[in-house]
Amino acid sequence: MEVYVASAPGKVLITGGYLVLDRPNAGLVLSTNARFYAIVKPLYDEIKPDSWAWSWTDVKLTSPQLSRESMYKLSLKQLTLQPISSSESRNPFVEQAVQYAVAAAHAKFNENKKDALHKLLLQGLDITILGCNDFYSYRNHIEAKGLPLTPDTLAALPPFASITFNAEESNGENCKPEVAKTGLGSSAAMTAAVVAALLHYLGVVDLSSLQSLGNKESVDLDTVHMIAQTAHCIAQGKVGSGFDVSSAVYGSQRYVRFSPHVISSAQVAIEGMPLQDIIVDILNGKWDHEITQFSLPPLMTLLLGEPGTGGSSTPSMVGAVKKWQKLNPQNSLETWKKLSEANSILEKQFNLLSKLAEEQWDVYKHVIDSCSRLKAEKWLELAKEPKDEAVVKALSGARRAMLSIRHYMWLMGEAAGVPIEPETQTRLLDATMGMEGVLLAGVPGAGGFDAVFAVTLGESKHNLTKAWSSLNVLALLVGEDPRGVSLESADPRTQEITSKVSSIHIK
């Protein structure tokens, strides 16, 4: 029995919070090593003799981390899913991903291929979804057990750990598991992984060629992106900026959003337009998003910290900022213009640092290594020679740009009456940026209390994780991985077991 596994990464939006909602503003988004996996295989080994008369086929969706299994019937005519298990265990993102991926196969195939597709679907679909631990917050769990708030404690958790540990109240009564998230875009990564795995399994795209491609220009990736964006928008009930789905598909990038009308036919689908017609509109639509190659320069590390000060709701914060824009168009336009300029400066400095690393590696490495052991105010003392000076100036320019970004994000929060960079985060970020080897720090995405990020130089990451731990901040095991959607060679659970066994042998 053939089993296909695809994965897609979580994200951190380091610049472009709020701005990225409107064209032509750009956001810099880093994809991470935290990945969602979708495992797809036939539900039945063979087609049953009476299946020629079937108008429905079976779909099983399993989420081991939530101890959930859902069964559906997929209409082979309408291509819609009907749940046959309790509604509590339903996952709208996966449901839409399945419907739109199957519809895309129907839309793209000729009659011969449709026959093969029909036979494949008659064997049913068995889909399993797994998310890396980094997508979920284990902070309360760690504190309740009295364990230290360190990355080592997180690393000791079993891979793809259960997230139902708070499903039981202290009085022993079951309640709905409250799954705290770390803000890495789990729904977008999950949707992209399911769409990619299904499109590959059904023969719509060939993801195996991506491994050697190594770039973001691929018709197959574009197909995965269009279907994943649409499924995600329909599942969440609104058309967002789409940067989370885009980075889940293409990896780290500079992103400018698509015009929302490209998904309008899917939005009005509720009015009875057949799914096959909607999907043709989506695939032939004028997708005008802009994706440019971007990732952190060499010898720089992305670090994410969880302060544990309670979460904030992104939709309500976005709503408050939009309201402020309407009430104060002049002020808001001025703030957005300055914020956009600061974002552009940071992007230019990062690109310059990548260029300097490429052209003068030894000089670049020497400066980064030296700066990693010093606080930022001492960096300029290293610029004794012109060749060193270019690297130090670019580093200092990146820091200044980040401080400007933080300032204008804070101003926007104050004006809109929402905590984009709350006082507790400001103190933490100032302390972080004052540490040795820290290039910059900020609140990712829409801001709030959820998380902070830092970019460190050389080996200074380890000192920062210790410092954060003393400030009651849990450093997550997340780093940048610029890859987007990938076809995996095996079920990640067996790979984790293999790597754990080999590490035992080494010891």
Side-chain angles (χ1 to χ4, degrees):
M1 187 188 287
E2 288 211 77
V3 180
Y4 291 101
V5 186
S7 70
K11 53 70 196 168
V12 178
L13 184 70
I14 59 169
T15 74
Y18 300 97
L19 267 78
V20 80
L21 289 164
D22 296 323
R23 290 175 57 82
N25 300 320
L28 296 180
V29 54
L30 301 178
S31 53
T32 69
N33 53 1
R35 299 183 81 83
F36 244 93
Y37 296 83
I39 302 155
V40 177
K41 60 184 180 185
L43 190 54
Y44 309 116
D45 290 342
E46 53 196 38
I47 299 172
K48 298 189 177 172
D50 60 346
S51 66
W52 61 269
W54 291 3
S55 55
W56 299 82
T57 190
D58 297 319
V59 176
K60 183 169 92 168
L61 169 62
T62 310
S63 177
Q65 287 157 291
L66 281 166
S67 306
R68 281 182 186 166
E69 191 179 280
S70 308
M71 288 299 299
Y72 297 88
K73 289 286 185 188
L74 174 70
S75 164
L76 295 171
K77 192 178 179 191
Q78 270 89 28
L79 311 180
T80 50
L81 283 174
Q82 294 294 329
I84 52 173
S85 44
S86 79
S87 60
E88 265 184 30
S89 61
R90 290 178 65 177
N91 183 325
F93 294 97
V94 178
E95 288 176 22
Q96 297 297 342
V98 172
Q99 290 182 161
Y100 278 95
V102 173
H106 264 268
K108 281 193 162 261
F109 287 168
N110 59 27
E111 286 310 311
N112 284 347
K113 279 192 164 182
K114 274 183 186 163
D115 283 346
L117 173 69
H118 188 75
K119 283 175 183 164
L120 192 57
L121 289 174
L122 285 174
Q123 285 183 261
L125 292 170
D126 186 345
I127 304 164
T128 302
I129 51 169
L130 297 162
C132 283
N133 292 344
D134 307 292
F135 285 101
Y136 305 105
S137 173
Y138 291 89
R139 193 188 164 102
N140 293 345
H141 182 61
I142 289 167
E143 285 177 335
K145 290 192 173 293
L147 297 166
L149 278 174
T150 63
D152 288 347
T153 307
L154 284 176
L157 288 168
F160 311 109
S162 165
I163 41 180
T164 58
F165 48 75
N166 46 1
E168 269 198 20
E169 293 286 272
S170 51
N171 62 9
E173 281 181 34
N174 276 332
C175 67
K176 203 173 179 185
E178 180 197 322
V179 184
K181 308 270 185 73
T182 52
L184 291 175
S186 54
S187 64
M190 175 169 59
T191 305
V194 172
V195 167
L198 275 172
L199 290 179
H200 185 84
Y201 172 72
L202 298 173
V204 181
V205 301
D206 181 5
L207 297 180
S208 55
S209 60
L210 296 179
Q211 317 311 94
S212 56
L213 221 132
N215 66 29
K216 298 180 180 3
E217 289 170 25
S218 155
V219 174
D220 282 347
L221 273 186
D222 293 343
T223 302
V224 172
H225 177 249
M226 289 185 279
I227 302 301
Q229 282 287 14
T230 308
H232 192 259
C233 287
I234 299 304
Q236 68 180 1
K238 65 182 174 67
V239 181
S241 68
F243 77 86
D244 46 3
V245 174
S246 186
S247 59
V249 175
Y250 298 106
S252 291
Q253 60 188 262
R254 175 190 188 270
Y255 175 78
V256 177
R257 71 158 306 148
F258 56 88
S259 299
H261 66 73
V262 79
I263 288 178
S264 57
S265 62
Q267 285 182 287
V268 298
I270 311 138
E271 292 164 25
M273 187 176 173
L275 201 51
Q276 289 99 315
D277 296 349
I278 296 161
I279 215 75
V280 170
D281 277 2
I282 296 297
L283 293 170
N284 295 333
K286 286 193 164 39
W287 287 82
D288 52 1
H289 56 288
E290 294 168 35
I291 295 163
T292 317
Q293 192 86 33
F294 174 82
S295 60
L296 287 179
L299 305 179
M300 293 190 190
T301 304
L302 171 70
L303 211 59
L304 212 61
E306 193 187 347
T309 39
S312 40
S313 167
T314 302
S316 61
M317 286 172 69
V318 170
V321 169
K322 283 191 173 291
K323 190 178 170 187
W324 162 68
Q325 282 180 286
K326 277 183 188 163
L327 293 173
N328 298 283
Q330 195 60 46
N331 278 358
S332 60
L333 203 65
E334 194 61 33
T335 306
W336 275 44
K337 192 178 163 207
K338 287 175 178 169
L339 187 53
S340 188
E341 283 167 7
N343 285 348
S344 296
I345 292 167
L346 180 60
E347 185 188 338
K348 279 177 189 149
Q349 300 298 344
F350 272 141
N351 288 337
L352 175 58
L353 285 159
S354 293
K355 188 166 174 270
L356 289 166
E358 205 176 308
E359 292 171 357
Q360 309 173 33
W361 173 252
D362 291 342
V363 173
Y364 176 85
K365 185 180 185 308
H366 165 71
V367 173
I368 297 289
D369 287 345
S370 302
C371 289
S372 71
R373 293 187 287 272
L374 297 169
K375 292 185 177 182
E377 63 260 27
K378 302 270 189 189
W379 292 354
L380 285 169
E381 294 172 16
L382 298 169
K384 292 186 174 69
E385 300 202 19
K387 55 185 183 176
D388 295 343
E389 192 180 4
V391 181
V392 173
K393 275 190 167 174
L395 291 171
S396 300
R399 267 181 79 85
R400 281 195 304 276
M402 192 68 212
L403 287 167
S404 293
I405 290 167
R406 282 182 52 199
H407 173 67
Y408 292 117
M409 288 282 275
W410 178 84
L411 275 183
M412 186 161 63
E414 286 291 293
V418 286
I420 292 176
E421 188 182 295
E423 199 182 324
T424 50
Q425 301 288 60
T426 297
R427 287 200 297 270
L428 173 59
L429 294 172
D430 288 347
T432 300
M433 284 187 76
M435 292 175 196
E436 291 169 358
V438 175
L439 176 62
L440 49 85
V443 284
F449 296 94
D450 296 354
V452 290
F453 75 87
V455 174
T456 61
L457 306 177
E459 297 298 312
S460 60
K461 166 191 169 180
H462 306 293
N463 295 333
L464 180 56
T465 56
K466 282 179 195 161
W468 272 358
S469 187
S470 70
L471 294 168
N472 203 31
V473 177
L474 176 60
L476 304 180
L477 300 169
V478 177
E480 187 199 8
D481 179 348
R483 293 180 307 141
V485 151
S486 288
L487 188 66
E488 303 290 334
S489 56
D491 184 324
R493 290 168 294 186
T494 57
Q495 288 174 320
E496 290 279 358
I497 291 162
T498 310
S499 65
K500 282 212 183 309
V501 168
S502 60
S503 69
I504 291 163
H505 285 316
I506 291 162
K507 287 170 192 171

